Amino acid sequence: MSERNYRKEYDNYHKKPEQRRRNDGRKKARRLMIKKHGKAKLAGKDIDHADRNPRNNAKSNLRIQSKKANRGRNK
């Protein structure tokens, strides 16, 4: 198995403007939930976007979930 080329991954995917905007939305959602619930309540948890759109940070679209539930949901 060959080693991952992280630089190539960044250049081909993470660097793209659309992916950067999506990541910014995820970060903003987490900051909003920390402000609302506190950092301790979110420790070890993910913030889930109910409609799977990371740019929609409406309060009704955000919820706290375990990492296992949130990351296993996309199957």
Side-chain angles (χ1 to χ4, degrees):
M1 198 174 209
S2 63
E3 290 186 30
R4 285 175 67 177
N5 185 343
Y6 291 99
R7 180 77 238 178
K8 186 176 177 185
E9 284 182 35
Y10 178 78
D11 289 339
N12 291 335
Y13 183 75
H14 301 291
K15 187 178 180 180
K16 299 211 164 141
E18 178 59 24
Q19 295 309 320
R20 302 218 23 194
R21 283 193 299 273
R22 290 170 62 90
N23 193 32
D24 290 343
R26 290 184 196 101
K27 290 177 186 176
K28 186 174 184 180
R30 186 154 191 94
R31 286 193 303 266
L32 288 170
M33 294 299 268
I34 287 173
K35 195 174 198 179
K36 183 177 179 182
H37 297 285
K39 207 169 196 177
K41 189 170 182 181
L42 297 176
K45 305 282 186 178
D46 277 352
I47 304 304
D48 178 43
H49 290 83
D51 68 357
R52 308 303 275 175
N53 177 5
R55 309 238 5 241
N56 178 4
N57 287 326
K59 290 179 184 179
S60 61
N61 189 42
L62 299 177
R63 58 189 174 196
I64 300 170
Q65 280 195 329
S66 70
K67 288 181 181 180
K68 184 175 182 176
N70 188 45
R71 296 176 190 186
R73 190 176 131 197
N74 59 359
K75 293 182 179 179

